[in-house]
């Protein structure tokens, strides 16, 4: 081989799409499809093979099934909806020997997550998105002024460089891309660590006889307050069974703990187990800012998950839409600065980010309350109020309800009082987030006000500081 041939063989290939999206999950596919529909060249980099792409560990429960962005229409996804008859949550509380049936607002569905994953990829492919499978990103490229200009990757064993006007990070929890970007020239949120995440494991379990709760999402606490088990019925006889816990806790043996609980439930006698998967997911507030010149983070990579339930599909879809639309405007104007991309932050906070930040207050409370006290509190609360607290970020708790809860709580009065005080802190935080700043220069002052409120949250709950 000549010297020229050797040089050509070792020089990384280069591609130059308008936008590179890293990760073919919900957020990545919706962002890519949104941009490609406007005629721009978009490449999605996915580390998995084409046959495995879309196979993600998930609880399979989808809240907000009635509404999806139009880039990949709901009709494209509906064949993956295996159970649209779920309409409430079922909280099993062994400590109180009780079961709470609580309404869950909005349309619910349980899905086959792998089939859903294939369908969002197909939907993005149909509007012109190019997918590169077996592609692992190794580094992020930045210009001298800090602007992100592309990524370096290994595709099917060969080095390849992708140069792009915008890089969209949809690489999931604790995204490796963020380890490689120098964010010193922007307000991108770097106050992120593993304690803000949950470790989860799930199995697909097949049973002989239909379960009696096929219309419910079943939740059950673990022996520690910062964890729970779930049983979500894909069908009457196919159940997504899983377990998660906060990484602030001592590690649980997830497989063993789930197996032990399955063995105590008669409906799972002689059950067959398949498709075992684990994952990490954020149980934290959304990133204060998820934009940097030439770069946006979306989905799990930006904390776009309900921190009390772990639900993140709908938020990821809309976060992808907002990032995609912001990218289109930036491409049209030729301005990919932090200020130009800031509208994406605002739209996320306006739609669901403020609510998720308020919900995180209740997540913080759960780390500071004894599990038996917490279960006593749940048992004392009316179901509709629990639903409000879990999904809206706030709930109306008046004197009458307080008195009733105290009467029903059988001695957990201190916890009830802490909840009422925590609710006030959550309301204050929600109001602040609803006034999220309109430009990056105002973020620092807003963060100071938010951090002052968080100090009150820690004082009220007795929890250790989370951020």
């Amino acid at each position: 081989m000549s010297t020229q041939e050797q040089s050509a063989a070792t020089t990384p290939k280069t591609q130059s799409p308008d936008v590179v999206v890293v990760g073919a999950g919900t957020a990545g596919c919706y962002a890519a499809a949104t941009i490609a529909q406007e005629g721009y060249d978009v490449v999605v980099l996915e580390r998995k093979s084409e046959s495995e792409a879309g196979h993600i560990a998930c609880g399979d429960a989808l809240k907000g099934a009635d509404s999806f962005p139009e880039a990949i229409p709901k009709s494209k996804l509906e064949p993956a909806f295996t159970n649209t008859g779920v309409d409430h949550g079922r909280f099993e509380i062994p400590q109180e020997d009780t079961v709470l049936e609580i309404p869950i607002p909005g349309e619910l569905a349980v899905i086959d997550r792998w089939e859903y994953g294939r369908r969002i990829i197909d939907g993005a492919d149909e509007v012109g998105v190019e997918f590169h499978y077996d592609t692992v990103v190794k580094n992020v490229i930045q210009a001298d002024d800090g602007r992100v200009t592309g990524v370096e990757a290994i595709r099917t064993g060969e080095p390849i460089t992708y140069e792009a006007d915008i890089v969209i990070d949809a690489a999931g929890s604790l995204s490796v891309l963020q380890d490689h970007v120098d964010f010193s020239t922007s307000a991108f949120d770097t106050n992120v660590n593993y304690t803000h995440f949950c470790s989860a494991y799930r199995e697909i379990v097949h049973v002989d006889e239909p379960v009696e709760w096929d219309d419910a999402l079943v939740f059950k606490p673990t022996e520690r307050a910062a964890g729970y088990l779930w049983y979500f019925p894909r069908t009457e006889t196919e159940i997504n069974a899983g377990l998660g816990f906060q990484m602030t806790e001592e590690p649980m043996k997830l497989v063993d703990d789930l197996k032990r609980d399955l063995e105590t439930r008669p409906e799972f006698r002689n059950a067959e187990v398949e498709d075992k998967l684990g994952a990490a997911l954020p149980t934290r507030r959304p990133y204060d800012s998820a934009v940097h010149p030439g770069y946006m983070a979306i989905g799990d990579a930006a904390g776009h998950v309900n921190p009390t339930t772990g639900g993140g599909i709908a938020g990821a879809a809309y976060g992808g839409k907002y990032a995609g639309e912001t990218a289109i405007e930036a491409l049209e104007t030729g301005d990919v600065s932090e200020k130009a991309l800031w509208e994406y932050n605002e739209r996320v906070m306006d739609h669901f980010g403020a609510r998720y930040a308020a919900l995180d207050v209740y997540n913080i409370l759960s780390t500071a309350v004894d599990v038996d006290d917490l279960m006593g509190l749940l048992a004392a609360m009316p179901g509709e109020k629990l639903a409000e607290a879990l999904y809206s970020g706030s709930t109306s708790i008046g004197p009458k309800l307080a008195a009733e809860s105290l009467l029903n709580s059988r001695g957990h009065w201190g916890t009830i009082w802490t909840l009422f005080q925590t609710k006030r802190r959550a309301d204050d935080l929600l109001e602040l987030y609803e006034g999220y700043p309109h430009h990056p220069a105002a973020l620092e002052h807003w963060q100071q006000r938010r951090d002052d409120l968080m100090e009150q949250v820690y004082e009220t709950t007795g929890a250790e500081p989370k951020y």
Side-chain angles (χ1 to χ4, degrees), residues 208-425:
D208 294 332
E209 299 293 330
V211 295
E212 64 179 19
W213 35 263
D214 65 291
D215 60 346
L217 303 179
V218 179
F219 299 87
K220 181 180 178 180
T222 57
E223 293 180 359
R224 283 178 258 164
Y228 71 90
L229 294 132
W230 71 78
Y231 297 103
F232 296 166
R234 280 186 175 181
T235 69
E236 292 179 332
T237 58
E238 183 178 85
I239 314 300
N240 181 310
L243 170 65
F245 76 101
Q246 284 290 128
M247 291 187 185
T248 51
E249 292 286 294
E250 289 295 319
M252 293 183 184
K253 295 181 178 179
L254 298 184
V255 178
D256 293 342
D257 284 10
L258 179 60
K259 180 180 178 181
R260 184 162 54 250
D261 199 70
L262 285 168
E263 289 174 344
T264 66
R265 302 180 72 100
E267 63 263 50
F268 290 105
R269 189 175 294 115
N270 301 320
E272 295 182 4
V273 176
E274 65 175 32
D275 198 23
K276 304 175 181 181
L277 282 176
L281 67 152
T283 46
R284 54 157 291 145
R285 65 193 181 202
Y287 284 19
D288 289 357
S289 171
V291 305
H292 175 87
Y295 179 95
M296 287 181 279
I298 59 179
D300 285 9
H304 294 170
V305 172
N306 182 325
T308 59
T309 67
I313 294 176
Y318 275 97
K321 165 187 165 70
Y322 300 146
E325 291 174 345
T326 302
I328 291 167
E329 185 174 351
L331 291 168
E332 289 176 347
T333 61
D335 184 358
V336 298
S337 67
E338 179 184 27
K339 185 176 180 181
L341 302 180
W342 194 261
E343 183 182 0
Y344 159 65
N345 283 336
E346 293 183 72
R347 295 183 71 185
V348 165
M349 293 302 184
D350 183 61
H351 185 167
F352 58 83
R355 178 163 50 92
Y356 286 0
L359 286 167
D360 188 43
V361 173
Y362 297 104
N363 203 31
I364 290 169
L365 172 65
S366 74
T367 67
V369 177
D370 178 81
V371 66
D372 289 334
D373 283 340
L374 182 61
M375 292 307 105
L377 167 62
L378 293 178
M381 290 286 289
E384 66 272 13
K385 298 303 177 185
L386 284 175
E388 288 178 7
L390 285 169
Y391 293 100
S392 72
S394 183
T395 183
S396 55
I397 302 176
K400 183 175 184 293
L401 175 59
E404 291 174 352
S405 299
L406 289 170
L407 182 63
N408 295 333
S409 63
R410 296 195 298 276
H412 301 290
W413 291 3
T415 306
I416 292 285
W417 175 248
T418 299
L419 171 69
F420 296 153
Q421 294 296 101
T422 300
K423 183 262 181 187
R424 294 180 181 177
R425 303 287 83 79

Side-chain angles (χ1 to χ4, degrees), residues 47-48 55-58 198-203 230 243 254-255 275-281:
R47 63 182 177 82
K48 294 180 180 177
H55 191 200
I56 295 172
C58 179
C198 163
S199 183
Y201 169 80
R202 72 102 173 99
E203 301 174 344
W230 71 78
L243 170 65
L254 298 184
V255 178
D275 198 23
K276 304 175 181 181
L277 282 176
L281 67 152

Side-chain angles (χ1 to χ4, degrees), residues 134-135 153-160:
D134 300 299
T135 303
I154 302 295
R155 183 183 182 198
T156 59
E158 298 293 331
I160 183 169

Side-chain angles (χ1 to χ4, degrees), residues 21 23-38 42 44 62 64-65 67-78 81 113 116-117 119-125 127 129 131 168 170 298-299 312-328:
V21 178
T26 297
C29 284
Y30 272 93
T34 299
I35 299 166
Q37 281 184 330
E38 295 301 313
V42 185
V44 173
L62 173 58
S67 176
F68 268 86
E70 295 179 358
I72 305 173
K74 179 185 174 183
S75 59
K76 178 72 179 178
L77 312 177
E78 283 177 333
F81 291 19
R113 182 60 181 80
Y116 164 87
R119 288 187 166 275
I120 58 173
I121 289 172
D122 287 346
D125 177 75
V127 296
V129 175
F131 286 84
I168 296 180
I298 59 179
I313 294 176
Y318 275 97
K321 165 187 165 70
Y322 300 146
E325 291 174 345
T326 302
I328 291 167

Side-chain angles (χ1 to χ4, degrees), residues 164-204:
D165 294 315
I166 296 174
V167 172
I168 296 180
D169 177 3
S173 298
L174 296 166
S175 167
V176 295
L177 274 70
Q178 292 169 30
D179 293 335
H180 296 292
V181 178
D182 178 0
F183 291 116
S184 61
T185 59
S186 74
F188 190 94
D189 195 343
T190 58
N191 183 19
V192 181
N193 64 63
Y194 80 97
T195 64
H196 303 163
F197 293 79
C198 163
S199 183
Y201 169 80
R202 72 102 173 99
E203 301 174 344
I204 304 302

